[in-house]
Amino acid sequence: MTTAETTLAITGMTCANCVSTVEKGLGKLAGVDSVAVNLATERAAVRYDPAQTQPADLVAQIERVGYGVAVGQADLAITGMTCANCVATVEKGLAKLPGVLDVAVNLATEHAQIRYLPGEVDRRQLIEQVERIGYGVVEVQGEELEDAERLARQQEVDRQTRLLTVGVLFSLPLFLLSMARDFGLLGMWGHQPWVNYLMWVMATPVQFYVGWQYYQGGFKALRNGSANMDVLVALGSSVAYLYSVAVVLGLAPGHVYFETAAAIITLIVLGKLLEARAKGRTSEAIKKLLGLRAKTARVVLQGQEADIPVDSVIVGDLVIVRPGEKIPVDGLVRQGHSAVDESMITGESLPVDKGPGDRLVGASLNKQGLLQFEATAVGRETALAQIIRLVEQAQASKAPIQRLADQVAAIFVPAVVLTALLTFGVWYWLVPGAGFVDALVRLVAVLVIACPCAMGLATPTAIMVGTGKGAERGILFRNSAALERAHHLTTIVLDKTGTITTGQPAVTDVISSGGHSHDEVLRLAASGEWGSEHPLGAAIVRAAQQAELALSDVAEFTSLTGRGVRATVDGRQLLIGNLRLMNEAGVQLNGLEAKATELESGAKTTMWLALDNRAAGLIAVADTIKDSSQAAIDELRRMDLQVAMITGDNQATAQSIATQLGIDRVFAEVQPGEKAAYVERLQAEGQVVAMVGDGINDAPALAQADIGIAIGTGTDVAMETADVTLMRGDLRSVPEALRLSRATIGTIRQNLFWAFGYNTILIPIAAGVLYPFGWAPAFLRQLHPILAAFAMAFSSVSVIANSLRLKRANLVARDPSPWS
């Protein structure tokens, strides 16, 4: 069976039971293989068989179970249509694109109206499809593309704000009137029958206008075989309202509770409004990333510079970026030199020097010089687009730690309703002196204090903030399961070349002999190596250039494979190579053997320089250790993690580096294909292993490890295989990622403790378990439904607020606590 995947942005969900309702509803469709709904991001990730189900069916099913889907709408002005067949061709062609829900083309107006899923297809792809099938599209230069999802969220916030305003306008006077009558401030007229009718009139708009959303949501949930928070709110407020109506009509004795019904609904709306705004803050990282995108690009077209929409840039275009401008797309520098601020992508604060041949990342900022570069990735293929997809993917995924909350949420509302009915029965029939009204008040309090929302939001809000903070630091988690697993790690395996070291050999020592100076030895050696393609020779040439030494012309250059080079420099015979070459040529070594042995014992490759058959000096070359490696390894060990290094180097070289850096275990002389086996060996010892690497040959080991961590400056293959991608080539990001994992999981546990604890403690209090105990405060012995509604309204907000604390987590602290 072929499968397709799509992500739908859902509106109208309020609690974990809503999640269950949507998952069950989508799961009933033929061909749907799996559904994962995230309450915090309000997204549903669906895998389905396109032969049996289409995206439009998924949207229709979500709407049928009582929720909405944020969809985009595009209006394209099409040219070239002449008849109804053209209309059918355009409609069918657009309908074939994944994510297109429906298409309506009007021949008279020559416009196409398209509804689509923003995450699956965009306006540019719609235009390209029209052009692909043989028609044209009239485009407006610089047009702002509508963010359908953001608009849908803002419309919901605006709607709740309007409802809250109405609720407060009626509920506040009603509440004050009720309190004034109860405290005798209104005198005898406060108990006149017309006062109850006035309260009825004031409560009704709140009940059936402000609260209508809860009736709708509850009905749709029940119709689909589930129950959610709307059911509890509708039941609780309706019981208080309808009983009060019965009192006014003389059908029941006692006091009216119109103010209770109105206050319950108004407070719940207030809580939901604050929750919606707080949830918006949890996704600030994505908004910031989206805001980084450049709107236009300056390209060279037929020899002339022209500003065009960034979506119109194609691979191969020559793009001009002036100082102070954003780099619009990814590319390679062809002309110019500058310093580029890539902090928004990598988290690295220092600008990076760029010149011909260097890679540029779209959305970074050109600080100094004029750059001309060739576009190498545009649209969804740019580094920024990939980062956004990774963060969205991680935020939309469901962490294993959330399973318990999901299981509880599935039975939570029915259990609360049953508890409320039992509470009513106990108070009505078994508690001496309690009557119908007392039992009713307890029932309403139990219904409105229960909060499934807090359980549903506990995990995803923390995941959203945690992954967002990681993105700001250049740390990208592929999914929330990886974020959770990372805090269980016991061993970190580091690839040496390109991870611990720079991956590029460099001159570390120059030893002179026979009256030659250090600079003379380096100059002569670099002159001799000028024509060599060997990496060690290139390192010597780079060192001489950095020292600004003037090189001499070379004659009679000969490369001696596996040994070195022979050349004539300044009229003298010059040999550069290993000891084997010196011995073959009968070179007098001038007592440098001991020094050569010392250098080699320090994991350095030693090259000899001989002039006219006499040793003139030694040059040591090594793959240098990155400046950040020592600090990163020290930090990992402070976090009680075992650090291992894996390399293809010989044992002596590897052990020398390990001793220098304080690495616990060394796996040397490992072939590329064997790295995964060494990771598996550690796992067999009971270790929970993270593998850190950057090369293609690291990909199998990254996949084998419990957590694969790819250095983002490495290859795309490694990044695609890894669970965590570090955008900086800096090992210090590894302990930062682990601190972030620990802080996030700690926050999730706090949230779950609060969510479960809140319901476990306050539902029994609402039911009246403290009533017999005289030491308990009066408001807890008989919890008023208004206080219950207040507690329920702010329970979700408190969970989100706790998750937002992650923004302040210290990821670079020396202390093992991420909150230090």
Side-chain angles (χ1 to χ4, degrees):
M1 180 182 76
T2 59
T3 60
E5 294 185 9
T6 189
T7 300
L8 306 173
I10 301 176
T11 59
M13 295 193 300
T14 57
C15 66
N17 292 88
C18 300
V19 171
S20 178
T21 299
V22 174
E23 287 181 340
K24 287 180 181 178
L26 289 173
K28 292 177 182 177
L29 290 178
V32 171
D33 181 49
S34 66
V35 184
V37 179
N38 186 302
L39 179 60
T41 62
E42 295 184 284
R43 291 174 181 268
V46 188
R47 182 180 300 158
Y48 62 98
D49 180 2
Q52 301 182 63
T53 298
Q54 293 298 313
D57 301 323
L58 302 176
V59 173
Q61 181 71 350
I62 290 172
E63 292 174 345
R64 198 188 76 79
V65 299
Y67 302 92
V69 177
V71 298
Q73 295 191 7
D75 183 358
L76 302 183
I78 299 177
T79 60
M81 295 190 300
T82 58
C83 65
N85 284 39
C86 298
V87 170
T89 301
V90 174
E91 287 182 340
K92 288 179 182 178
L94 288 171
K96 290 178 181 178
L97 289 177
V100 171
L101 302 176
D102 55 65
V103 185
V105 179
N106 187 308
L107 181 61
T109 61
E110 293 188 299
H111 271 246
Q113 301 287 340
I114 306 111
R115 292 177 67 245
Y116 62 94
L117 299 176
E120 296 295 309
V121 68
D122 57 28
R123 186 183 178 89
R124 167 54 50 187
Q125 291 170 303
L126 297 174
I127 293 172
E128 289 175 351
Q129 181 72 348
V130 171
E131 294 172 341
R132 191 177 298 118
I133 57 180
Y135 301 90
V137 177
V138 178
E139 295 188 60
V140 179
Q141 293 295 322
E143 182 178 13
E144 290 290 334
L145 302 182
E146 180 177 270
D147 183 347
E149 187 174 343
R150 179 195 59 78
L151 182 61
R153 302 282 183 256
Q154 187 57 48
Q155 288 174 341
E156 178 63 18
V157 169
D158 293 342
R159 186 174 76 94
Q160 293 296 341
T161 302
R162 184 174 64 253
L163 292 174
L164 176 63
T165 302
V166 174
V168 171
L169 287 175
F170 284 95
S171 298
L172 185 58
L174 175 59
F175 179 77
L176 294 175
L177 176 62
S178 176
M179 290 300 101
R181 183 173 69 172
D182 290 346
F183 286 106
L185 301 179
L186 302 180
M188 292 300 297
W189 70 266
H191 296 279
Q192 296 297 317
W194 65 267
V195 176
N196 283 345
Y197 280 98
L198 176 61
M199 289 183 171
W200 185 3
V201 170
M202 297 173 73
T204 300
V206 180
Q207 190 70 34
F208 296 109
Y209 175 69
V210 179
W212 188 247
Q213 58 184 323
Y214 301 115
Y215 286 105
Q216 283 184 315
F219 171 75
K220 291 174 179 177
L222 293 172
R223 185 184 67 185
N224 290 283
S226 74
N228 59 8
M229 183 206 77
D230 295 338
V231 173
L232 298 179
V233 175
L235 277 176
S237 61
S238 295
V239 167
Y241 178 85
L242 293 175
Y243 174 74
S244 301
V245 171
V247 171
V248 172
L249 297 177
L251 303 176
H255 184 74
V256 294
Y257 288 92
F258 286 121
E259 83 286 352
T260 298
I264 286 172
I265 290 174
T266 302
L267 285 170
I268 299 302
V269 171
L270 173 61
K272 290 297 122 184
L273 176 60
L274 294 175
E275 178 185 318
R277 290 180 171 174
K279 280 198 290 187
R281 291 183 61 200
T282 65
S283 59
E284 282 179 354
I286 287 290
K287 294 175 184 175
K288 287 180 181 177
L289 289 172
L290 290 171
L292 293 176
R293 296 177 298 188
K295 301 296 187 295
T296 62
R298 185 175 296 106
V299 300
V300 179
L301 299 174
Q302 298 179 345
Q304 300 292 321
E305 294 183 16
D307 289 338
I308 64 173
V310 71
D311 290 339
S312 298
V313 178
I314 61 175
V315 174
D317 278 350
L318 285 180
V319 184
I320 306 294
V321 185
R322 296 190 175 101
E325 294 180 340
K326 282 184 180 179
I327 293 167
V329 296
D330 296 358
L332 288 175
V333 178
R334 293 304 181 209
Q335 293 181 25
H337 291 82
S338 182
V340 176
D341 180 1
E342 297 181 341
S343 60
M344 64 289 295
I345 301 294
T346 66
E348 178 58 62
S349 58
L350 295 177
V352 182
D353 291 332
K354 299 290 183 179
D358 288 334
R359 184 169 67 98
L360 295 175
V361 180
S364 52
L365 184 65
N366 183 25
K367 301 285 284 186
Q368 295 179 348
L370 180 73
L371 291 175
Q372 183 180 99
F373 69 93
E374 178 184 343
T376 58
V378 299
R380 293 173 60 87
E381 304 306 316
T382 62
L384 177 63
Q386 293 179 47
I387 290 170
I388 291 172
R389 282 203 300 275
L390 273 175
V391 176
E392 287 180 333
Q393 180 179 316
Q395 293 185 344
S397 62
K398 188 171 289 188
I401 197 173
Q402 194 175 344
R403 290 173 187 158
L404 176 61
D406 290 344
Q407 292 168 354
V408 172
I411 61 170
F412 183 80
V413 174
V416 169
V417 173
L418 179 60
T419 302
L421 293 174
L422 288 173
T423 299
F424 179 88
V426 169
W427 277 87
Y428 186 63
W429 282 294
L430 300 180
V431 176
F436 179 82
V437 173
D438 290 321
L440 193 69
V441 169
R442 299 289 185 182
L443 178 144
V444 173
V446 170
L447 287 173
V448 300
I449 203 167
C451 186
C453 310
M455 291 186 293
L457 292 168
T459 298
T461 53
I463 294 291
M464 287 184 70
V465 178
T467 52
K469 184 175 179 66
E472 292 173 0
R473 298 287 302 171
I475 302 167
L476 307 177
F477 287 88
R478 179 164 296 280
N479 52 50
S480 54
L483 182 63
E484 181 177 340
R485 283 199 307 272
H487 91 289
H488 292 297
L489 293 172
T490 60
T491 297
I492 310 294
V493 179
L494 305 174
D495 176 57
K496 181 184 79 73
T497 305
T499 302
I500 295 176
T501 64
T502 61
Q504 187 178 51
V507 172
T508 59
D509 301 89
V510 177
I511 308 298
S512 59
S513 178
H516 299 283
S517 69
H518 285 57
D519 284 353
E520 183 68 5
V521 169
L522 182 58
R523 186 188 72 81
L524 290 169
S527 299
E529 290 284 5
W530 181 255
S532 173
E533 296 180 354
H534 195 281
L536 299 181
I540 293 173
V541 172
R542 279 197 305 274
Q545 290 173 334
Q546 290 168 0
E548 299 181 349
L549 301 178
L551 305 187
S552 300
D553 292 333
V554 178
E556 301 177 6
F557 175 87
T558 304
S559 176
L560 305 171
T561 304
R563 291 168 292 169
V565 299
R566 176 185 288 114
T568 300
V569 178
D570 295 340
R572 307 182 69 177
Q573 292 296 316
L574 179 144
L575 283 176
I576 310 167
N578 54 27
L579 183 60
R580 175 185 169 192
L581 176 61
M582 301 298 113
N583 290 333
E584 287 178 356
V587 171
Q588 298 180 27
L589 301 181
N590 290 343
L592 292 174
E593 301 96 316
K595 190 61 179 179
T597 302
E598 178 186 337
L599 291 171
E600 289 173 350
S601 66
K604 299 173 183 178
T605 300
T606 304
M607 301 179 69
W608 292 73
L609 171 68
L611 292 173
D612 298 329
N613 233 34
R614 294 178 61 87
L618 302 172
I619 299 176
V621 178
D623 184 3
T624 54
I625 295 172
K626 292 180 181 179
D627 294 337
S628 59
S629 295
Q630 183 69 71
I633 291 167
D634 290 345
E635 189 68 19
L636 290 170
R637 297 187 69 188
R638 273 192 291 269
M639 296 173 72
D640 296 324
L641 294 165
Q642 176 180 250
V643 182
M645 182 181 73
I646 193 165
T647 178
D649 289 348
N650 62 61
Q651 185 67 41
T653 300
Q655 190 60 54
S656 173
I657 293 174
T659 301
Q660 179 181 343
L661 294 174
I663 292 173
D664 301 297
R665 298 180 68 172
V666 177
F667 302 116
E669 301 178 24
V670 178
Q671 297 298 314
E674 298 174 345
K675 291 183 179 180
Y678 280 87
V679 171
E680 190 174 7
R681 179 195 299 181
L682 286 169
Q683 291 171 323
E685 296 174 6
Q687 303 291 332
V688 183
V689 181
M691 172 69 195
V692 185
D694 74 330
I696 293 176
N697 57 18
D698 296 325
L702 292 171
Q704 174 63 42
D706 297 283
I707 293 289
I709 303 177
I711 298 291
T713 50
T715 66
D716 290 339
V717 174
M719 292 172 67
E720 286 297 322
T721 310
D723 300 293
V724 183
T725 298
L726 308 178
M727 296 304 295
R728 287 182 288 167
D730 188 334
L731 267 184
R732 286 174 295 191
S733 293
V734 176
E736 286 185 26
L738 302 187
R739 285 183 178 280
L740 179 59
S741 171
R742 293 181 180 185
T744 304
I745 297 305
T747 300
I748 290 173
R749 288 172 173 165
Q750 293 166 9
N751 287 348
L752 289 173
F753 178 82
W754 162 252
F756 283 111
Y758 166 88
N759 288 291
T760 302
I761 294 172
L762 292 189
I763 290 176
I765 289 177
V769 295
L770 294 181
Y771 183 76
F773 302 101
W775 52 264
F779 75 94
L780 290 180
R781 294 177 64 207
Q782 186 163 355
L783 191 67
H784 195 281
I786 292 179
L787 289 178
F790 181 87
M792 187 274 194
F794 286 90
S795 61
S796 312
V797 179
S798 63
V799 165
I800 299 174
N802 189 51
S803 295
L804 288 170
R805 290 175 60 244
L806 271 171
K807 290 176 177 287
R808 301 195 304 272
N810 183 8
L811 304 185
V812 295
R814 292 293 186 183
D815 190 278
S817 168
W819 295 102
S820 59

